[in-house]
Amino acid sequence: MDPYSTEGELINIHTHFYQSQYQEVIDFDTSSFSAENELPVRVLKLRARIALGQAEDVVADVKGEAVPDLEAVGALAEYTLGKTDSALKTIEKLASSAADNVTVQVVGGTVLQAAGKSEEALALLSQHQGSLDAVALIVQIHLQQNRTDLALKEVTAARRWAQDSLLVNLAEAWVGVRVGGEKYQQAFYVYEELAQGSSTFSVPSLIAQAVCEIHLGRLEEAQSALELAVQKDPKNAEGIANLLVLNSISGNNTDELVESLKQANPNHQLLLDLEEKSSLFDKAAAKYSAKA
Amino acid sequence: MQSSPGMLTKFESKSSRAKGIAFHPKRPWILVALHSSTIQLWDYRMGTLIDRFEEHDGPVRGVDFHKTQPLFVSGGDDYKIKVWSYQTRRCLFTLNGHLDYVRTVFFHHELPWILSASDDQTIRIWNWQNRSLICTMTGHNHYAMCAQFHPKEDLVVSASLDQSVRVWDISGLRKKHSAPTSMSYEDQIARANQNQTDMFGNTDAVVKFVLEGHDRGVNWVAFHPTMPLIVSAGDDRLVKLWRMSETKAWEVDTCRGHFQNASGCLFHPHQDLILSAGEDKTIRVWDLNKRTAVQSFKRENDRFWVIAAHPEINLFAAGHDNGVMVFKLERERPASAVHQNTLFYITKEKHVRSYDFQKDVESPTLLSLKKLGSPWVSPRTLSYNPAERSILVTTPADGGSYELLSLPRDGSGVIEPTESKRGSGNSAIFVARNRFAVLNTANQTIDIKDLSNNTARSFKPPAGTTDIYFGGTGNLLIITPTTVYLYDIQQKKTTAELAITGVKYIVWSNDGLYAALLSKHNVTIVTKTLEQISTLHETIRIKSATWDDAGILLYSTLNHVKYALLNGDNGIVRTLDQTVYLVRVKGRNVYCLDRAAKPRILRIDPTEYRFKMALVKRNYEEMLHIIRTSSLVGQSIISYLQKKGYPEIALQFVQDPTTRFDLAIECGNLDVAVEMAKELDKPKFWTRLGTEALAHGNHQIVEMCYQKLKQFDKLSFLYLATGDHSKLARMAKIAEHRGDFTARFQNAVYLGDVEDRIQMLKEIDLYPLAYATAKSHGLEEECEAILEASGLTEDQLTLPTMGKPLAPPKPVVSTFKSNWPNKASSQSYFESALLGQVEGLSLEDESNTANGIEAEHATKEETADKLIATAGEDDDDAAGWDMGDDDVPEIDNDFVNVDSAEAGGAGSCEADIWARNSPLAVDHVAGGSFETAMQLLNRQVGAVQFAPLKPRFLEVYQSSKTFLPALANLPTLLNYVRRTVDETDLRKVLPIIPRDLEHLASNDLQKGYDSMKANKLEDGASIFKGILHAILVNAVSSESEVAEAKKLIVSAREYSIAMDIELARRNLGSIDEIAQDPAKVKRSLELSAYFTIPKIEVPHRQIALLSAIKVAIKSKNYNSALGFANRIIANGGSSKIVENAKKTKAQCERNPNDSIEIEFDQFAEFEICAASHTPIYSGAPFEECAFDGSKYHSSYKGSICKVCEVCEIGKHGSGLRLFS
């Protein structure tokens, strides 16, 4: 039986993970779980800890473990700590030795994609056997490659066999925000359902809901949602970044938000991007000058 | 009396005797009824026979065109009247009834009636609509020779061999055949009681007058078109003029001269003349008022039988024993001369007038030439001498004479010339300010005369000289029938000559470098030294020509205005409904004189010839301008460009994909060809594209073509040739899928894949070959396996000796990675400019050109992107194969695509698409493409200093995308915020723009106003500049919003200038500092005055005026203060301010003087230079900022605009685009 199916033991903890409720994942009581699920649970909990920024603990935790799953998680932790080379080496080794391991596929795919090796990530993930985790990751990779068409295809295919799974809904929402039009509203419903339920709430979901509202042009709603998100998690760089974008769209001054974003995550891609564009601007502007 | 030279034959036909003729009222057609039973339809302009109608039996005597319908009627000796359609070219029906020859037939001018006169002594009226006879008029007792309707009244006139002319009243007939509704009760009573009948009881047509006077039979009779006059011609050789009143008619006079039977006569349609023709072989022209002979024309052998006049234009036709001649009585070309902006010409009344081209005004008569020559002969030429304001007029009367007259300064009615100098000569022209040349053809001399008409010198021109023209300073052009000579008057010798026949007119270009020699059917363009440049032939007669300022000749034929370029290219500019004589062309106006010698303006579209001229001169800017500003399309221009070898330019005009494809192939523009081939998607096009691309070495396109065409073998070979092993491998796989063993074998050979070959050979049971292959490659294991499978042993086989195994060469260079580099020159300057124009651009300087080319590269890259994208779309199809799907792919797929996902890679992000979708700078900014955005702004408004726009650029850019959290530990998903929220078509999506027009108007502008009110001018100035920057990088959603945006720009500009001025005043120093320096005091006063000039909102202007009053009064400039106070009062508004102003006014009026003179005239119209803050008076030269429109003294040209701080002053762009 699929441990992730509706009757499976792992369904709730897994759902928590993908709802970005990482603390709930860690706190999940798994003592009654059967032995065969011990490893997947451990992997999930470790990944949740990485997501919460406790990568060092994770590295220490998995040190010396020879199970491919744990090695992969260890590599992810290393990667988030900046040890990209050794992380990649581990993943590449795993990709050739244990490519049929779904954890290796998903976690390895994450690392590869994070390192910008999309093709390798897709190659690894293409070997999955009906794993929604892998599908979701594939969708995200396609979207990051700006291949909305492929992402859409992947989601449509997954929808056929995975029905109303959370991951498929999420993946569909991601694609929807890209495609736009009516899809904005559909994506909004997905996130709203998550962000408004007390058991499903997480800051990232709320942020995603606000993003949909921005795209829908409902700026005031987006504003209140994002303010709430930042209030709940003042260190959440994505919340600040989106708030910054929103304020910019509304024609407000964004200097303060830039500062707080710098504090939250000085390497946020918005900041890096703006910096790059700023120098690009200066370079391009230098080509012009008045005659007199 | 001698035959006059004035009669000009325009057309002659040769045929049997012509008995009836009729002019078409509109077209240049004439119907001729012949004695041989044929009716001919001629085009007398072209001189061609259009049609023949042969249904009459025996001679046809009468024909007439219907005025409006495509009909004509004929009557002949077969007693029949036939009605024909010249459209369907057949006889519609026949009216039978006459009992003898039908002599004449005529249509009524408005009723559906035909009038016929017959030898059966009756005159009949027929209704051709219901094809019935409606009236028979009896009374003549001999052949009725001719009967005509009155052009307006209900009258008929008839002539008979019974020597009488009869006038019939047919008003009864009209009433009878009118619709009953139009008849009042009284009319009906009147008609019922009508007892006025002729002797047969006929009330429809009654004889009104019987005119007796001819001593023999009368052959012809005609009404005057307007006056109550009748003219008749008879066998007594006389032409008689009759007059009639309401109650009686009488003979007026007789024109004697014909010495044989007079067969036809008519009134001139416009002039007081009578024309008659007779069997004495003459046509005679008579003065209607004096009844004296004016002209006569004699033919050697042909008796004249009939004469007709064109109803509209000055043309006549006469039928004689051997055909028909169409002729004019006189030249209609008005004598004229052009000097600068003035045309001098001679009207039909022989008045000299002038016409101002610029003002489109005719002068009153300057001079009357009534006494010049004979009254019926108009002057032939006019030559004007601007230095003396005198004219030379020649007339052909009296064997040719000229007259030298001086023109009065301005005309005041009909003035007889006070003094004139005259002499005999055929041509007379001014050759210098005080010299003119006179040609006398009779004794073949040319005299050069001074202004007192004394001959200064005289010489013999080349034999047979017919005319002389001005030939440039000190030169004459002398025309003989076969040659044109350039004659130097000083040296008295011919300096150049050109063999050219029949030149009639010479027209010099405005710059005097070229001359057009016009003959009847040819235009020859020569240089001033008489070197022929080009010549062209016209089948239609050429009438006149004039040069435009750009050196293009416009000439008129009978029915067209055409142009000719120096290289001989010519074409039609417009058609003409009547003949005109061109005198000048300026822009879209062609000025000409019509045949009535009235100046007229014809509107033309000069686009086509300007474009061709630009093409010839390779003036690409001009061409670009024309292409952009006019709708220059059409097959002719395309084929012209193609013919002239500019397919790449023709490409720009074509929409039709097939033609576009052809042109693109022709000029080697593969990008366009690919685009079109995709659109057409037919094998034929792919094949051609493949061939062309191969020639270019563009193997990527070749590959695509082969894919589309499913040419697997070619593809394989291409991959082999380009060394693309991975794709070759894929081809092998495809071959396997297709079950095509030959292809598989071939691919395996290309790949050097021995195993696959052996495997394949085994699969098709060719074990011997498999064995041989394995053996030759030394694959012993495989050999044994094969032997085993086939149950043989090695010694049972004999093999030929084998050489070394074949291995395909390894590619040294990875050709497949990129195309052969092409020389960039294949793109013409013009084309790149056109492609680069996402937007209008001015190609002023090099940097812009470079930009254009850059942009063009960008387009190329985009195309490449698109290629990848389209390739990518089909990835999954190819992927399907790899997954080993069962269905054979090419069955349900349109074409083979061997690019799989691995080559697909990343797509283009939406931000890139924005830039592609939009020509607006702001969308490029949002897409992060700052370079192209800057290019656009630079071209649109001459933006050069972008630093102030940086905050706006970054603001727009950072508003463009959101960050969607997705899976843990991966970067967030970027999504692009659109202003087109409902749009999902990627070709139409556009980015969101922060601070749009509405936001600016309701927020920033109000803040600006607030700072003005609060006297925070520094803040205000930066707010308004910010508004300008925000509009500069912005987009609106409709044309009306564009107008609003422009308003906002204007108001931000005015505030910005106003605040700058006031700030400049405040920066002069503290009050004390200013007080110590008189220059500063003056400047302070001036600036405070200028502060009131910008067009800011009234309440704010009041503030400015108050401030100005304060400053002025302080310096005792009461007059200025008074002016300001008056303006405040005029502005009205807040009563407190107005009250104060009134007080000030009262105070100042006591002493309205300025103690300090300042440069401020409150009554003058001026604007403030935004840089120097000094006035620019209206009329003074100035430069502008192309974006905000702020004005500057011209010395600031090239520096940065002080208002927007972005654009270069005086640099003109295509204008800001906010809406696409």
Side-chain angles (χ1 to χ4, degrees), chain A residues 145 178-179 215 242 248 273 292, chain B residues 907 957 959 962-963 974 978 1198:
Chain A
Q145 284 186 307
R178 233 354 125 67
V179 171
H215 283 276
N242 282 312
S248 180
D273 194 20
Chain B
Y957 179 71
S959 301
T962 59
F963 305 90
L974 295 183
R978 300 168 183 164

Side-chain angles (χ1 to χ4, degrees), chain A residues 63-81:
Chain A
K63 196 154 194 168
E65 297 276 4
V67 188
D69 301 64
L70 295 177
E71 277 183 77
V73 173
L76 177 62
E78 278 189 330
Y79 186 88
T80 52
L81 289 172

Side-chain angles (χ1 to χ4, degrees), chain B residues 580-635:
Chain B
V580 293
Y581 304 92
L582 309 185
V583 290
R584 187 188 184 80
V585 53
K586 191 90 191 162
R588 294 178 159 271
N589 289 340
V590 169
Y591 299 90
C592 56
L593 286 168
D594 63 12
R595 285 189 149 160
K598 286 292 282 180
R600 298 209 319 174
I601 301 175
L602 302 176
R603 299 288 289 170
I604 55 161
D605 182 0
T607 316
E608 185 184 331
Y609 66 74
R610 286 217 182 128
F611 181 78
K612 290 185 179 176
M613 187 73 180
L615 193 67
V616 169
K617 290 190 171 168
R618 300 188 174 272
N619 185 346
Y620 296 119
E621 284 169 39
E622 167 89 10
M623 282 163 70
L624 218 50
H625 176 76
I626 292 171
I627 291 172
R628 211 168 294 127
T629 51
S630 58
S631 52
L632 189 66
V633 281
Q635 208 52 50

Side-chain angles (χ1 to χ4, degrees), chain B residues 518-559:
Chain B
L518 310 185
S519 61
K520 219 179 213 178
H521 293 288
N522 286 298
V523 177
T524 306
I525 297 178
V526 297
T527 63
K528 62 176 178 178
T529 51
L530 216 55
E531 283 161 44
Q532 179 172 330
I533 292 181
S534 62
T535 183
L536 60 93
H537 180 83
E538 282 290 333
T539 46
I540 311 275
R541 220 169 282 192
I542 296 159
K543 302 306 283 185
S544 66
T546 183
W547 294 80
D548 105 333
D549 292 328
I552 293 160
L553 183 76
L554 268 89
Y555 61 97
S556 69
T557 66
L558 278 174
N559 45 13

Side-chain angles (χ1 to χ4, degrees), chain B residues 281-490:
Chain B
K281 301 164 193 162
T282 61
I283 293 170
R284 289 165 193 266
V285 184
W286 314 86
D287 186 318
L288 171 64
N289 302 316
K290 299 179 191 150
R291 272 78 69 188
T292 52
V294 174
Q295 280 180 335
S296 80
F297 174 84
K298 187 160 193 306
R299 259 184 109 82
E300 282 309 308
N301 302 310
D302 304 321
R303 289 167 294 170
F304 284 107
W305 296 105
V306 64
I307 185 164
H310 193 286
E312 312 283 338
I313 56 182
N314 180 20
L315 272 183
F316 301 90
H320 53 72
D321 280 343
N322 282 307
V324 163
M325 55 181 288
V326 176
F327 60 95
K328 290 207 260 192
L329 284 184
E330 55 175 11
R331 289 162 47 86
E332 290 176 289
R333 176 186 298 266
S336 69
V338 175
H339 175 69
Q340 287 169 357
N341 270 324
T342 317
L343 167 74
F344 296 93
Y345 61 101
I346 301 174
T347 66
K348 286 287 143 189
E349 296 78 40
K350 293 212 220 174
H351 292 174
V352 179
R353 289 192 180 194
S354 70
Y355 169 78
D356 190 309
F357 292 121
Q358 277 178 336
K359 297 180 192 144
D360 186 22
V361 179
E362 276 180 72
S363 74
T365 300
L366 299 170
L367 213 56
S368 168
L369 302 177
K370 266 276 182 278
K371 290 183 180 148
L372 180 75
S374 87
W376 297 109
V377 182
S378 47
R380 192 171 81 92
T381 64
L382 174 72
S383 182
Y384 178 69
N385 181 345
E388 298 287 326
R389 199 173 162 81
S390 53
I391 54 169
L392 264 174
V393 182
T394 61
T395 170
D398 313 327
S401 60
Y402 71 88
E403 194 152 358
L404 175 64
L405 306 147
S406 56
L407 289 179
R409 273 291 140 202
D410 32 35
S412 49
V414 182
I415 298 166
E416 298 289 329
T418 46
E419 76 171 319
S420 75
K421 303 177 182 75
R422 56 182 71 191
S424 67
N426 301 81
S427 300
I429 51 161
F430 284 106
V431 291
R433 331 175 91 214
N434 55 353
R435 289 282 187 279
F436 63 94
V438 178
L439 166 73
N440 199 320
T441 47
N443 49 18
Q444 286 287 307
T445 53
I446 294 175
D447 296 327
I448 306 294
K449 302 197 172 205
D450 63 18
L451 293 183
S452 36
N453 208 15
N454 297 323
T455 305
R457 60 173 73 199
S458 182
F459 54 87
K460 284 276 175 202
T465 299
T466 53
D467 208 348
I468 52 171
Y469 276 91
F470 180 65
T473 317
N475 286 312
L476 271 183
L477 280 169
I478 298 175
I479 298 175
T480 71
T482 55
T483 315
V484 175
Y485 300 91
L486 184 64
Y487 190 90
D488 188 310
I489 299 168
Q490 289 304 317

Side-chain angles (χ1 to χ4, degrees), chain A residues 17-18 20 22 47 50-51 76 80 109-111 113-114 119 133 136-137 140-141 143-147 149-150 153 167 173-174 177-182 184 191 204 207-208 211-212 214-217 238 241-242 244-245 248-252 254 258 268-270 273-274 277-282 284-285 287-292, chain B residues 844-845 851 854 868-869 872-873 875-876 901-902 904-910 927-931 934-936 938 943-947 949-950 953-978 980-984 986 992-995 999 1196-1200 1208 1211:
Chain A
F17 182 78
Y18 282 101
S20 313
Y22 303 119
R47 285 175 69 192
I50 297 172
L76 177 62
T80 52
T110 309
V111 172
Q113 170 64 12
E119 298 303 336
D133 301 57
L137 186 53
Q140 177 158 3
I141 292 172
L143 287 175
Q144 273 169 340
Q145 284 186 307
N146 292 310
R147 294 304 304 270
D149 49 339
L150 300 183
K153 218 154 241 162
L167 265 176
W174 303 334
V177 180
R178 233 354 125 67
V179 171
E182 291 172 0
Y184 285 141
Y191 288 118
I207 293 172
V211 165
C212 293
I214 291 178
H215 283 276
L216 282 162
E238 303 312 327
N242 282 312
L244 191 159
V245 171
S248 180
I249 291 172
S250 319
N252 299 328
T254 55
V258 170
H268 192 272
Q269 51 178 330
L270 176 61
D273 194 20
L274 284 177
K277 286 292 169 188
S278 165
S279 67
L280 172 74
F281 181 95
D282 294 339
K287 288 184 199 156
Y288 297 89
S289 66
K291 270 190 204 141
Chain B
E844 292 168 348
D845 48 29
N851 289 344
E854 265 171 41
I868 292 168
E873 276 164 24
D875 280 348
D876 47 308
E902 66 166 2
S908 51
C909 79
E910 190 170 324
S929 178
F930 291 179
E931 295 96 332
M934 287 180 188
Q935 273 176 29
L936 286 171
N938 180 264
V944 289
Q945 174 173 295
F946 286 97
L949 289 181
K950 190 169 176 181
F953 267 53
L954 293 177
E955 178 187 20
V956 171
Y957 179 71
Q958 74 181 7
S959 301
S960 66
K961 43 189 182 299
T962 59
F963 305 90
L964 181 70
L967 292 174
N969 299 115
L970 277 180
T972 50
L973 285 170
L974 295 183
N975 286 301
Y976 302 90
V977 192
R978 300 168 183 164
T980 47
V981 172
D982 299 328
E983 187 60 67
T984 55
L986 277 183
I992 192 150
I993 305 302
R995 287 206 290 153
H999 186 275
Y1196 287 95
K1197 184 182 167 90
S1199 57
I1200 306 243
E1208 185 180 314
K1211 185 164 176 163

